[in-house]
Amino acid sequence: MVSLTDFPVSLNRHNSMGKGLARRLVLGAAVAALLAAAAPAAMAQQDSDSDSVLSSFKLEREAAEARDQARLAELVEDSDALSAALEEAEARRDAAREERERLEAEMAEARQALDEIGAQRDAEGGDLNAVFSAVAGTSGELRDDLGQSLLTLGADVDLPPRLDDDAILTVAQIETLADSLMGLTAETGLVRRFEAPVAAGSGEVAPRQVTRVGDLMAFGGGQLLERVGEEGRLSALEHTPERVGAVLDAYQSGDGQLLPVDPADGRVIEALSRQPTLLERFHQGGAVGYVVVALGALGLLIALGQYLYLLRVSMTTRRQLANMDELSNDNPLGRVLQRFHAFGAGHAPEALEARLDESMLAEQPRLERGQALVKMLAAVAPLLGLLGTVTGMIVTFQSITVFGTGDPQLMAGGISQALVTTVLGLITAVPLLFAHTAMSSRSRALIGTMEGRASAVLADRLEADRKALQPATDAKQGSRRHADAPLA
């Protein structure tokens, strides 16, 4: 155990403050030594089997105690160093106190000067104080509102200065404000042409000839421009309507004298310029929209191919109807009649009718080919659009759940998918329905023509067979009557 009497203490009696500091240092060193001595003892009690570790801790503790005793002895014995440090600290304290008193005096003087200025303003301004405050506030608000205005483009005119509410307005400040307002007012009725760097939609900045019409619009290269960023740099709008761009390009090149004027302060043209193109609208449909359009394109290709085939069949059938004596193999009617004429005489009417029906049924699948698939795609397209609507609304509600309803742009993606897929489904289904109707009506007309002509040929065949059998039938009936006659 280490006691306090082990530390040599020799302090200067005439310096009580140094003596107290030395005592605190001695007490702190003693406490540190006690803690250092107690820590290895506690560790030794917890782990009595680790003799090697305990011995190393003892050696480290003894070395630390020796260093602390040497430092403490050096510090306690050097009373002059303690006195010098104390004097230096007192000097710094006195200097800080003087600095504080000086700053307080300066603050009091500044406050007194401010009160004098306020009293002078009240005395000189009188009822104009309210006017000065209103002018200063209006000037600041006007400067903020015109920060992104087009009036300062290509013109040597400055924005209204920002005035201090507490200051007394001078004649020079009022003149500067009036000149600025008059210059801006004059710029509202002027057309300026100048060259300035413009940022394109791709982010590339290049110099471009710019035309500014008052504060209504600025355009260049057939594109509407706007000021963006804190520096107010010019940037082309994402999309300029084609008709508006053509008129602007003609005006800038000198070939036209008309300009599109938006009475809504440019908001209508800006809304039209931000309207997505057909391709962008298509991409908003997402994966469901791609599937709907792909199925619609497939159905239209099938319908177009089949309808062209039916047109060709109609032409060959009309040629066949014009020349029924020579049956051709390039049309369904000719093939059906060829199979029918291949049967010889002597067949029952029921057999001939069955053979004729079989020949017509063999030609019917070719005429009705693709109709079932086109009809199915026309029915599936609105269902897929409804599927996209449901998935888009799910995305929208997920955005609302995570981010709330504060930012509508977070919900725009899901709403766009919900609406666009429905539109794509309807746009795909309507042409497919028309195509199916055209194909089915054309094929029904061909089948009806084929059935009518085949029925006429069958009737002619049966009539001819009946006439051919009529003499033999009459002879047989005559012989039978002769045999049945009574003998005289």
Side-chain angles (χ1 to χ4, degrees):
M1 184 65 65
V2 181
S3 63
L4 297 177
T5 56
D6 295 336
F7 295 91
V9 180
S10 58
L11 300 177
N12 192 357
R13 298 295 183 182
H14 69 277
N15 194 345
S16 60
M17 186 175 296
K19 182 177 179 181
L21 178 61
R23 288 180 178 176
R24 285 194 295 271
L25 291 175
V26 172
L27 181 59
V31 173
L34 290 174
L35 293 176
M43 294 178 64
Q45 292 177 1
Q46 295 175 0
D47 193 4
S48 59
D49 296 335
S50 302
D51 296 336
S52 58
V53 177
L54 182 59
S55 60
S56 62
F57 283 163
K58 289 181 178 180
L59 293 176
E60 292 179 1
R61 184 195 63 188
E62 293 175 358
E65 289 177 355
R67 289 194 302 269
D68 293 339
Q69 290 178 1
R71 292 175 183 175
L72 185 60
E74 182 180 358
L75 182 62
V76 173
E77 291 176 357
D78 192 1
S79 59
D80 295 335
L82 290 175
S83 300
L86 181 60
E87 292 176 359
E88 183 180 358
E90 291 177 350
R92 288 198 303 269
R93 182 197 62 187
D94 296 338
R97 185 177 297 169
E98 293 177 359
E99 182 68 17
R100 186 191 66 181
E101 293 176 355
R102 185 182 65 81
L103 293 177
E104 289 179 352
E106 291 181 357
M107 184 177 66
E109 293 177 359
R111 186 176 299 168
Q112 183 179 0
L114 182 62
D115 294 339
E116 292 177 357
I117 292 175
Q120 181 182 0
R121 184 188 64 182
D122 295 337
E124 296 179 358
D127 296 336
L128 295 178
N129 290 331
V131 177
F132 291 159
S133 300
V135 170
T138 304
S139 175
E141 293 176 359
L142 186 60
R143 183 181 180 88
D144 295 336
D145 294 338
L146 295 177
Q148 298 296 327
S149 176
L150 302 174
L151 294 176
T152 58
L153 293 175
D156 189 13
V157 62
D158 297 328
L159 295 175
R162 194 179 300 278
L163 304 177
D164 190 1
D165 294 339
D166 296 331
I168 299 176
L169 295 181
T170 62
V171 176
Q173 290 177 334
I174 296 176
E175 291 178 352
T176 302
L177 177 61
D179 293 341
S180 176
L181 295 178
M182 291 298 296
L184 293 173
T185 304
E187 288 296 328
T188 58
L190 299 178
V191 177
R192 298 283 187 179
R193 297 177 184 268
F194 56 94
E195 185 175 345
V198 178
S202 60
E204 181 180 359
V205 179
R208 186 183 300 184
Q209 191 70 25
V210 178
T211 302
R212 177 181 62 82
V213 182
D215 61 341
L216 295 177
M217 68 180 69
F219 55 91
Q223 289 183 313
L224 292 171
L225 307 179
E226 63 178 351
R227 301 189 71 174
V228 296
E230 297 180 356
E231 299 179 359
R233 294 183 178 180
L234 288 175
S235 175
L237 291 181
E238 187 174 359
H239 298 293
T240 299
E242 294 183 0
R243 295 180 59 185
V244 175
V247 174
L248 295 178
D249 197 7
Y251 182 85
Q252 192 171 21
S253 61
D255 298 333
Q257 297 181 353
L258 299 177
L259 277 177
V261 178
D262 186 0
D265 196 15
R267 289 191 293 270
V268 174
I269 295 180
E270 183 178 359
L272 292 176
S273 65
R274 298 185 184 279
Q275 185 176 3
T277 61
L278 183 61
L279 182 60
E280 292 176 346
R281 187 72 73 185
F282 167 69
H283 288 306
Q284 288 177 353
V288 178
Y290 300 151
V291 173
V292 171
V293 173
L295 293 179
L298 176 62
L300 290 178
L301 288 177
I302 294 174
L304 179 61
Q306 180 64 14
Y307 193 76
L308 293 177
Y309 170 75
L310 293 177
L311 288 177
R312 186 177 65 84
V313 170
S314 298
M315 295 174 59
T316 56
T317 303
R318 282 195 297 267
R319 288 199 301 265
Q320 183 66 63
L321 290 173
N323 187 11
M324 294 297 296
D325 296 334
E326 296 181 3
L327 298 179
S328 177
N329 199 28
D330 60 353
N331 62 92
L333 180 59
R335 290 192 292 268
V336 169
L337 296 180
Q338 284 178 355
R339 295 193 191 98
F340 179 74
H341 290 309
F343 296 107
H347 293 283
E350 294 80 4
L352 291 176
E353 186 177 359
R355 292 293 184 181
L356 187 61
D357 291 340
E358 180 185 1
S359 301
M360 289 189 293
L361 289 175
E363 296 294 335
Q364 188 172 351
R366 296 183 183 179
L367 300 177
E368 296 179 349
R369 181 175 50 195
Q371 295 183 16
L373 180 59
V374 173
K375 186 177 181 180
M376 182 195 69
L377 293 178
V380 168
L383 295 179
L384 289 177
L386 180 60
L387 175 62
T389 301
V390 174
T391 56
M393 295 308 298
I394 290 175
V395 173
T396 302
F397 288 127
Q398 288 177 348
S399 300
I400 294 175
T401 303
V402 178
F403 302 102
T405 59
D407 191 358
Q409 292 182 353
L410 295 175
M411 301 181 291
I415 295 175
S416 297
Q417 181 179 355
L419 298 179
V420 170
T421 52
T422 304
V423 173
L424 290 177
L426 296 176
I427 291 176
T428 302
V430 171
L432 290 178
L433 288 176
F434 279 109
H436 176 265
T437 303
M439 287 192 304
S440 61
S441 59
R442 177 71 64 172
S443 62
R444 283 197 302 267
L446 291 173
I447 292 173
T449 302
M450 183 175 60
E451 289 178 350
R453 183 57 61 177
S455 298
V457 171
L458 176 61
D460 294 340
R461 174 71 176 272
L462 293 177
E463 184 67 20
D465 291 344
R466 188 184 65 78
K467 290 181 180 180
L469 295 176
Q470 186 67 32
T473 304
D474 293 342
K476 184 182 294 186
Q477 289 179 355
S479 62
R480 185 177 300 171
R481 285 196 301 269
H482 180 73
D484 294 339
L487 295 177

